[in-house]
């Protein structure tokens, strides 16, 4: 029952194994490897283990271990020399200790299963190990090897009760050399999570094999997993005994592009965004495929699900709570799962009350007064007993939810968002509107006004005259005595321009129920007093036969009517900003763009490659959160479509932005600032840049993080690539970069702006962009979502009315009750509470978050290189200094974007954080 499939074929006589690794073809997660050892026939029932080791003299050495597990109790072998050695036998005894992570919160069934697994491991029928030497056996031209089974039990570690340890003993020849890989075979009925393997008894001391990986059950995949030691090797430096295993391990996770992926697999492959729609459920949920020539997009991780019945180009959907496939090691760990599950439950509960309101009335309810919004934080949303019972019956909620609802009336209550916690009226002021363009959740859209007149690049035959309605004279009237030319010369005029991105979608969006939008341009002026303010807003609709010039400009004005219209114009700009932020700057430029980098890293860089080791912390959880987003957030009918302006055209808008403006080289923070005119090159300035606005917190703090990361990357790369041609000759690295361009971002593969990868400088630039995108950039535009967006009037995600004009019936209603017109233009209570719940979840740090510059205690032995560990310590120390600098900046009274009455400090790029919604902290990866 517990017999192991032979891993390597070899001759049965004492003449020794004679084998070579056959040529390998890319398969579907199955290795065509010959192997290093096998269990002899008399061990299938639990007898003796016959380990065949290739000695240096072309003779076979046999090591036998008793099947009763005796001899494993007691202390570990000394690492100063060896456990024991016998001159006559020429062998040394070594021990492998493996650490397995169990569930932290165990149910009874988990405890029973663990006991059974522990028993099987103790009697040698649960886990098989093979040590593979870095040295080559001349007879086989492959690494020397020896096999043994895990036997016996070790006491649980005292620090972490959920970590179990087991041991396997080996008797190896003294000329075996240093083990460089361990092959592990899981004979249990399900996979287990391997933290690490440590080999004791060799002269150099304990040898660490960090894993942090799931080991599949043999019944699901007969091939053993390969775990390499924590030594980094460039491809040409790979020890001869490990070369074939290195190549084979890469091939095993690439797949062949066929078949549906299974939960236990770790196959990384590419696919189109063909999984967003659900026409089988409803024709109105059909969505176009993203990733073709017409609608280009980055690639996602392939799942291989069968096609839709009604549309063979679309992949069938997975309905909750069934999990979406991601490679096994990409799944959330238990703490993260519990945190995210709690967030989803919280979102459900926060959605519950508006759903009840909708079920008990004819339609969804708008906010009628500002106190309705305040009640979300002050009083919570109250339900009467009969309403609770009727609602839960109507919605057929789970028993858990029904029980929670009976706990108390104040259960559904939101935390006060940071933006109004100090000053509840700050959102009304123009200087706060402008401050958030520099220090808010979307500080990457503002740019300097470079050219005038402002011209559209859209086809004038379709979208009308290209000239903007924002004229020189009109702007000059708002400059308080300063001339337009002087303001341009002194770089005091800025613009947030969404005109060309949105105008092609305006008619489509406005045809949706309760959606109204414009294409917007906003001009901001940095006055001599050092304050940035919006001075003019242009709102455009596509031309019609009766209105070929369908553009209006709004300014603050000097009377009550003008002030209220100005508030509505700003709200429309905020709604546009919210959609562009979520779909372009957040989802596209971080989440979607990172996914191909992660897939290519696993497919082309061995886990022993130094660049893999550098990037590994920055890939954690991203594929899982992206898969969940495609299932529930950006899918047809999902939260984003329901609650943001673009509605069902949301992802088409994202694709259009990818086509028109995404460039890998411009994702570097300095390049992006220069492109937007927010900085100029200055070799004498810190970071080689001089900011046009000194008081630009995102850029000022971001450059500290960018520079610290760049220094760390440069020192790391310089350590491993000492020879001038070593980057160009690194076959894995070149294949990695080629695949990112030609497969992961294949719609952009022919663009001339892709950086070359010929030198160390090229590599450092590429790596810094990737790490910045995953860490600092994502943190800056993600973790402020609830602090800024949790108060609906500050950042409405959609608008439901156009601004009434004097010749329209709505205008009289506006004059009679402008507050009502404003509030009924905002999202409804249902839409608002949905968005608030999601933003709260997305702004939450998990307790197991891994932050930039910090090292996870359980994954501390990631590399066996003292110099690299010293460099990392320097990087960590640098980030501690960055944190102190930012804290000092937040006390500088000259910096009005950070300080002042009721002004929250800018903390989104502070590296460290605790769990929860903190509005600070830079995780290593896009983990939420």
């Amino acid at each position: 029952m517990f017999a192991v499939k032979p891993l390597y074929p070899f001759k049965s006589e004492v003449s020794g194994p004679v084998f070579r690794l056959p040529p390998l073809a890319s398969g579907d997660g199955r290795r065509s490897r010959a192997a290093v050892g096998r269990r002899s026939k008399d061990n299938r029932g639990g007898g003796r283990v016959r380990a065949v080791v290739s000695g240096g003299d072309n003779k076979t050495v046999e090591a036998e271990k008793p099947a009763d597990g005796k001899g494993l109790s007691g202390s570990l072998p000394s690492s100063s020399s060896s456990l024991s050695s016998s001159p006559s036998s020429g062998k040394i005894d070594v021990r492998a200790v493996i650490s397995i992570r169990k569930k932290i919160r165990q149910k009874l069934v988990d405890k029973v299963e663990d006991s059974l697994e522990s028993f099987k491991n103790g009697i040698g029928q649960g886990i098989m190990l093979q040590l593979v030497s870095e040295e080559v056996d001349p007879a086989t031209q492959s690494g020397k090897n020896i096999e043994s089974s895990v036997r016996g039990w070790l006491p649980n570690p005292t620090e972490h009760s959920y970590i179990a340890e087991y041991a396997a003993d080996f008797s190896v020849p003294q000329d075996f050399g240093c083990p460089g890989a361990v092959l592990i075979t899981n004979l249990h009925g399900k996979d287990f999570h391997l933290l690490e393997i440590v080999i004791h008894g060799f002269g150099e001391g304990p040898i660490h094999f960090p894993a942090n990986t799931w080991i599949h059950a043999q019944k699901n995949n007969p091939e053993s997993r390969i775990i390499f030691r924590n030594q980094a090797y460039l491809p040409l430096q790979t020890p001869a005994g490990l070369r074939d295993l290195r190549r084979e391990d890469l091939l095993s996770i690439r797949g062949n592009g066929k078949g549906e992926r299974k939960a236990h697999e770790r196959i990384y492959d590419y696919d189109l965004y063909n999984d967003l729609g659900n026409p089988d459920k409803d024709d109105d949920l059909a969505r176009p495929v993203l990733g073709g020539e017409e609608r280009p997009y980055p690639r996602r991780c392939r799942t291989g699900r069968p096609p839709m019945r009604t549309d063979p180009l679309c992949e069938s959907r997975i309905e909750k709570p069934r999990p979406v496939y991601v490679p096994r090691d990409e799944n959330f760990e238990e703490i993260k799962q519990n945190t995210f599950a709690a967030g989803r439950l919280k979102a459900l509960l926060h959605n519950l009350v508006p759903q009840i309101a909708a079920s008990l009335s004819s339609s969804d309810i708008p906010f009628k007064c500002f106190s309705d919004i305040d009640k979300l934080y002050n009083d919570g949303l109250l339900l009467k007993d009969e309403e609770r019972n009727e609602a839960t019956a109507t919605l057929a909620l789970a028993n858990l939810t029904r029980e929670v609802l009976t706990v108390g009336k104040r259960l559904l209550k939101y935390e006060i968002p940071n933006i109004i916690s100090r000053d509840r009226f700050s959102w009304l002021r123009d200087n706060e509107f402008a401050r958030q363009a520099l220090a808010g959740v979307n500080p990457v859209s503002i740019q300097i006004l470079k050219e005038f007149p402002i011209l559209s690049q859209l086809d004038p035959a379709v979208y009308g005259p290209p000239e903007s309605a924002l004229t020189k004279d009109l702007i000059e009237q708002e400059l308080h005595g300063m001339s337009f030319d002087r303001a341009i010369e002194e770089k005091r005029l800025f613009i947030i321009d969404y005109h060309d991105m949105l105008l092609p979608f305006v008619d489509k969006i406005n045809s949706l129920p309760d959606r109204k939008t414009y294409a917007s341009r906003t001009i901001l002026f940095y006055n001599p007093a050092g304050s940035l303010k919006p001075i003019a807003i242009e709102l455009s609709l596509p031309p019609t036969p009766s209105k070929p010039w369908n553009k209006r400009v709004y300014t603050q004005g000097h009377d009550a009517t003008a002030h209220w219209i100005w508030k509505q114009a700003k709200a429309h700009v905020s709604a546009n900003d919210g959609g562009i932020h979520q779909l372009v700057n957040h989802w596209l430029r971080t989440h979607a763009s990172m996914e191909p980098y992660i897939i290519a890293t696993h497919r082309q860089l061995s886990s022993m490659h130094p660049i893999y080791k550098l990037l590994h912390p920055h890939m954690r959880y991203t594929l899982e959160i992206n898969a969940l987003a495609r299932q529930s957030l950006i899918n047809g009918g999902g939260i984003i479509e329901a609650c943001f302006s673009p509605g069902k055209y949301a992802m088409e808008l994202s694709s259009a932005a990818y086509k028109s403006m995404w460039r890998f080289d411009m994702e570097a923070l300095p390049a992006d600032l220069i492109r937007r005119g927010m900085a100029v090159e200055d070799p004498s300035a810190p970071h080689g840049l001089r900011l046009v606005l000194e008081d630009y917190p995102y850029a000022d703090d971001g450059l500290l993080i960018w520079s610290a990361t760049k220094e760390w990357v440069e020192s790391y790369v310089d350590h491993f690539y000492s020879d001038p041609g070593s980057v160009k000759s690194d076959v894995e690295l070149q294949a990695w970069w080629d695949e990112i361009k030609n497969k992961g971002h294949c719609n952009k593969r022919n663009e001339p702006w892709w950086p070359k990868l010929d030198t160390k400088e090229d590599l450092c630039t590429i790596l810094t962009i990737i790490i910045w995108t995953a860490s600092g950039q994502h943190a800056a535009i993600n973790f402020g979502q609830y602090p800024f967006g949790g108060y609906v009037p500050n950042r409405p995600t959609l608008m439901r009315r156009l601004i009434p004009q004097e010749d329209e019936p709505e205008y009289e209603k506006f004059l009679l009750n402008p507050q009502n017109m404003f509030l009924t233009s905002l999202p409804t209570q249902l839409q608002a509470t949905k968005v608030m719940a999601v933003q709260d979840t997305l702004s939450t740090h998990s307790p197991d978050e891994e932050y930039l510059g910090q090292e996870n205690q359980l994954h501390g032995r990631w590399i066996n290189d003292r110099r690299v560990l010293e460099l990392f310590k320097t990087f960590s120390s640098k980030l501690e200094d960055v944190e102190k600098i930012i804290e000092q900046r937040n006390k500088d009274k000259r910096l009005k974007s950070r300080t002042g009455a009721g002004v929250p400090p800018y903390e989104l790029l502070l590296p460290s954080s605790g769990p929860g919604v903190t509005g600070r902290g830079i995780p290593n990866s896009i983990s939420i």
Side-chain angles (χ1 to χ4, degrees):
M1 177 177 179
F2 298 107
V4 182
K5 177 182 176 181
L7 297 180
Y8 279 65
F10 43 74
K11 295 184 177 180
S12 59
E13 303 301 327
V14 179
S15 58
V18 179
F19 64 89
R20 293 179 181 275
L21 289 171
L24 296 171
S26 180
D28 190 21
R30 299 290 187 263
R31 296 196 294 273
S32 55
R33 179 179 80 247
V36 248
R38 67 176 181 181
R39 299 181 74 183
S40 57
K41 293 180 180 179
D42 62 351
N43 189 49
R44 291 178 183 170
R48 304 175 71 84
V49 175
R50 177 178 181 270
V52 183
V53 183
S54 303
D57 56 358
N58 292 338
K59 294 182 178 179
T60 296
V61 178
E62 295 185 9
E64 291 191 342
K65 285 289 169 188
D68 57 7
K70 293 179 179 179
L72 289 183
S73 58
S75 61
L76 292 171
S78 168
S79 59
S80 59
S81 57
S82 63
L83 237 176
S84 62
S85 62
S86 168
S88 59
S89 67
K91 299 177 184 177
I92 57 174
D93 291 334
V94 300
R95 171 171 289 182
V97 176
I98 73 169
S99 300
I100 295 174
R101 190 182 66 201
K102 305 290 187 180
K103 283 187 178 181
I104 299 174
R105 297 179 180 177
Q106 289 195 329
K107 300 177 181 178
L108 179 60
V109 65
D110 298 319
K111 294 178 180 179
V112 171
E113 289 179 353
D114 280 355
S115 297
L116 179 59
E117 289 177 9
S118 179
F119 175 75
K120 289 181 178 178
N121 291 338
I123 62 174
Q125 295 183 342
I127 302 172
M128 297 293 297
L129 300 181
Q130 292 185 45
L131 306 186
V132 183
S133 172
E134 293 182 346
E135 296 184 8
V136 169
D137 180 354
T140 65
Q141 296 302 304
S142 296
K144 303 173 184 177
N145 54 84
I146 185 171
E147 178 185 74
S148 182
S149 60
V150 167
R151 292 173 178 275
W153 300 267
L154 296 175
N156 278 338
T158 55
E159 289 186 40
H160 304 289
S161 60
Y162 54 89
I163 297 176
E165 289 188 346
Y166 303 95
D169 283 354
F170 298 84
S171 184
V172 302
Q174 292 197 9
D175 63 353
F176 182 77
C178 181
V182 175
L183 275 63
I184 182 167
T185 305
N186 174 12
L187 304 179
H188 296 290
K190 65 175 186 177
D191 50 6
F192 62 80
H193 192 274
L194 176 68
L195 283 175
E196 71 170 346
I197 302 173
V198 183
I199 309 295
H200 300 266
F202 285 93
E204 64 182 81
I207 303 172
H208 295 273
F209 295 75
N212 194 35
T213 185
W214 288 92
I215 306 299
H216 59 259
Q218 189 189 45
K219 69 174 186 177
N220 292 325
N221 182 352
E223 303 294 345
S224 304
R225 277 293 306 281
I226 304 170
I227 309 295
F228 294 107
R229 68 174 295 197
N230 62 342
Q231 186 71 45
Y233 293 112
L234 296 176
L236 290 176
Q237 299 169 341
T238 311
L242 304 179
R243 287 173 188 164
D244 290 320
L245 289 180
R246 178 174 185 147
R247 177 167 165 253
E248 185 182 334
D249 189 48
L250 280 175
L251 288 175
S252 72
I253 62 175
R254 290 179 188 167
N256 60 3
K258 299 177 181 179
E260 183 174 358
R261 299 270 61 91
K262 305 297 189 296
H264 67 272
E265 294 177 328
R266 51 193 288 269
I267 302 296
Y268 295 80
D269 206 354
Y270 300 96
D271 209 343
L272 303 166
Y273 273 66
N274 61 353
D275 60 339
L276 301 178
N278 194 355
D280 282 359
K281 183 176 182 180
D282 190 326
D283 289 343
D284 195 49
L285 293 177
R287 298 293 180 268
V289 174
L290 305 184
E293 292 301 317
E294 183 181 357
R295 296 183 181 89
Y297 217 62
R299 294 302 185 259
R300 66 169 176 95
C301 188
R302 180 182 178 276
T303 63
R305 296 196 299 267
M308 288 276 181
R309 174 178 48 81
T310 55
D311 187 351
L313 296 179
C314 292
E315 186 174 87
S316 56
R317 298 276 303 165
I318 290 288
E319 297 299 333
K320 295 179 288 185
R322 290 180 59 200
V324 178
Y325 169 80
V326 292
R328 188 66 176 94
D329 290 340
E330 305 296 332
N331 289 128
F332 290 165
E333 295 177 24
E334 185 180 357
I335 294 174
K336 178 73 169 181
Q337 285 177 340
N338 293 336
T339 302
F340 194 73
R344 291 171 69 182
L345 178 61
K346 187 175 181 180
L348 169 67
L349 294 177
H350 280 296
N351 289 342
L352 179 63
V353 169
Q355 288 178 26
I356 292 171
S359 70
L360 299 178
S361 60
S362 58
S363 62
D364 193 13
I365 302 173
F367 293 107
K368 296 177 181 178
C369 58
F370 286 99
S371 61
D372 285 345
I373 302 173
D374 294 339
K375 286 178 181 178
L376 296 173
Y377 322 105
N378 299 332
D379 301 329
L381 294 166
L382 307 181
L383 289 176
K384 298 178 181 178
D385 290 340
E386 61 270 18
E387 288 176 343
R388 281 204 300 269
N389 296 334
E390 181 179 349
T392 51
T394 301
L395 296 174
L397 295 175
N399 288 334
L400 172 63
T401 308
R402 188 178 297 114
E403 291 169 5
V404 171
L405 283 170
T406 62
V407 171
K409 290 184 176 181
R410 295 182 180 271
L411 174 66
L412 304 178
K413 183 177 176 181
Y414 284 93
E415 295 294 325
I416 298 176
N418 197 31
I419 190 59
I420 60 167
S421 63
R422 298 170 181 234
D423 182 355
R424 64 177 300 188
F425 300 112
S426 63
W427 66 276
L428 285 166
R429 292 192 290 271
D430 286 350
N431 61 351
E432 177 61 24
F433 178 91
R435 187 189 76 85
Q436 290 182 34
L438 302 173
V441 71
N442 188 37
V444 296
S445 290
I446 188 171
Q447 54 188 317
I448 200 163
L449 184 60
K450 296 179 183 177
E451 299 178 355
F452 208 87
I454 303 168
L455 298 175
S456 170
Q457 302 301 311
L458 299 174
D459 184 356
V462 178
Y463 299 104
E467 294 83 9
S468 169
L470 291 160
T471 64
K472 180 177 178 180
D473 291 342
L474 191 151
I475 294 174
E476 197 165 58
Q477 292 176 17
E478 304 297 322
L479 299 183
H480 305 289
M482 183 179 289
S483 72
F484 177 87
D485 292 337
R486 181 185 168 192
I488 288 287
E489 182 182 351
E490 294 183 3
K491 298 183 176 179
R492 292 185 177 275
L493 288 175
F494 300 85
I495 187 170
I496 300 173
D497 191 350
Y498 296 140
H499 178 276
D500 285 10
M501 193 178 297
L502 288 176
L503 192 60
F505 292 91
V506 167
D507 277 345
K508 294 179 180 179
I509 294 170
N510 288 346
S511 68
L512 299 172
D514 290 328
R515 300 289 170 97
K516 297 300 175 189
T517 191
Y518 301 92
S520 61
R521 291 188 177 107
T522 306
I523 302 295
L524 303 99
F525 174 53
Y526 187 68
N527 61 35
S531 178
L532 183 70
K533 290 187 176 182
I535 59 171
I537 293 172
E538 177 192 68
L539 299 179
S540 301
L541 297 171
T544 65
S546 60
K547 291 184 179 180
W549 181 264
N550 213 351
K551 305 176 182 180
R552 290 180 179 269
V553 174
Y554 299 91
T555 58
Q556 186 173 24
H558 303 286
D559 59 72
T561 301
H563 278 300
W564 271 107
I565 290 178
W566 176 244
K567 287 180 178 64
Q568 285 199 276
K570 289 195 299 181
H572 273 283
V573 171
S574 294
N576 286 350
D577 193 70
I580 299 300
H581 162 259
Q582 198 66 263
L583 296 164
V584 179
N585 296 329
H586 180 206
W587 173 260
L588 168 64
R589 293 178 61 188
T590 62
H591 285 260
S593 294
M594 271 299 299
E595 189 149 348
Y597 312 151
I598 295 170
I599 297 170
T601 299
H602 284 283
R603 286 168 56 89
Q604 298 297 342
L605 297 182
S606 167
S607 60
M608 66 172 68
H609 196 292
I611 302 306
Y612 178 95
K613 292 183 178 294
L614 175 69
L615 290 178
H616 187 260
H618 306 290
M619 304 187 291
R620 185 177 186 235
Y621 291 157
T622 304
L623 295 190
E624 171 88 341
I625 195 63
N626 284 6
L628 291 169
R630 290 193 298 272
Q631 186 182 34
S632 303
L633 293 179
I634 63 172
N635 60 300
I639 297 293
I640 300 299
E641 289 193 359
C643 302
F644 284 78
S645 277
K648 63 188 293 185
Y649 305 104
M651 290 304 290
E652 290 185 60
L653 172 63
S654 189
S655 170
Y658 179 69
K659 184 177 184 178
S660 65
M661 54 85 67
W662 187 87
R663 290 178 49 160
F664 178 86
D665 59 331
M666 291 294 118
E667 294 305 298
L669 177 60
D672 176 60
L673 293 172
I674 292 170
R675 172 175 64 171
R676 293 190 281 121
M678 300 302 292
V680 294
E681 292 186 76
D682 184 351
S684 65
H687 323 295
L689 290 180
R690 178 171 51 82
L691 294 178
V692 171
L693 285 177
E694 179 188 1
D695 190 12
Y696 186 4
Y698 159 77
D700 209 15
D701 295 357
L703 286 171
L704 293 175
I705 302 297
W706 170 272
S707 296
T709 303
K710 188 169 183 283
E711 289 176 18
W712 154 239
V713 170
E714 286 174 342
S715 62
Y716 186 93
V717 168
D718 189 63
H719 177 69
F720 286 101
Y721 291 91
S722 54
D723 297 332
S726 53
V727 168
K728 206 167 186 177
S729 62
D730 186 334
V731 293
E732 287 184 8
L733 192 67
Q734 294 298 325
W736 168 77
W737 185 233
D738 181 76
E739 187 164 290
I740 286 174
K741 295 182 295 182
N742 292 305
K743 288 190 176 181
H745 286 273
C746 65
N747 297 126
K748 297 272 188 176
R749 61 186 178 277
N750 296 321
E751 297 288 352
W753 40 253
W754 283 105
K756 295 185 182 298
L757 184 52
D758 295 336
T759 66
K760 288 192 292 185
E761 291 73 22
D762 297 337
L763 178 58
C764 290
T765 298
I766 291 167
L767 292 173
T768 306
I769 289 174
I770 291 174
I771 294 173
W772 161 253
T773 299
S775 56
Q777 179 68 4
H778 180 259
I781 59 181
N782 180 73
F783 292 103
Q785 289 192 73
Y786 187 78
F788 286 97
Y791 187 66
V792 180
N794 183 63
R795 282 185 69 80
T797 55
L798 59 82
M799 295 293 282
R800 301 165 64 228
R801 296 174 182 264
L802 296 177
I803 297 175
Q805 304 303 316
E806 291 185 22
D807 58 348
E808 297 173 350
E810 290 283 295
Y811 192 75
E812 285 299 321
K813 295 180 181 179
F814 159 68
L815 291 178
L816 291 172
N817 194 340
Q819 175 178 292
N820 180 263
M821 181 66 70
F822 179 80
L823 288 171
T824 55
S825 297
L826 298 180
T828 65
Q829 293 190 33
L830 172 60
Q831 291 167 330
T833 51
K834 274 186 179 181
V835 169
M836 291 166 68
V838 171
Q839 288 175 333
D840 180 73
T841 301
L842 297 182
S843 303
T844 299
H845 289 295
S846 173
D848 72 337
E849 199 84 88
E850 295 180 1
Y851 296 96
L852 194 65
Q854 297 181 7
E855 195 171 71
N856 187 311
Q857 293 295 318
L858 294 178
H859 312 152
R861 301 183 185 95
W862 62 283
I863 195 167
N864 181 33
D865 192 312
R866 182 174 297 176
R867 176 58 181 158
V868 167
L869 296 177
E870 291 172 354
L871 294 173
F872 185 79
K873 188 175 181 180
T874 300
F875 175 51
S876 300
S877 177
K878 181 79 113 179
L879 290 177
E880 291 175 2
D881 294 339
V882 165
E883 193 150 314
K884 294 175 183 176
I885 293 171
I886 293 174
E887 288 171 347
Q888 286 300 312
R889 288 175 176 176
N890 286 333
K891 298 175 183 177
D892 189 339
K893 295 180 180 179
R894 297 177 303 113
L895 303 177
K896 297 178 182 179
S897 292
R898 300 174 181 269
T899 60
V903 176
Y906 186 74
E907 298 180 327
L908 288 171
L909 286 168
L910 280 171
S912 67
S913 176
V917 180
T918 64
R920 59 177 288 168
I922 304 177
N924 275 323
S925 61
I926 300 171
S927 59
I928 190 65

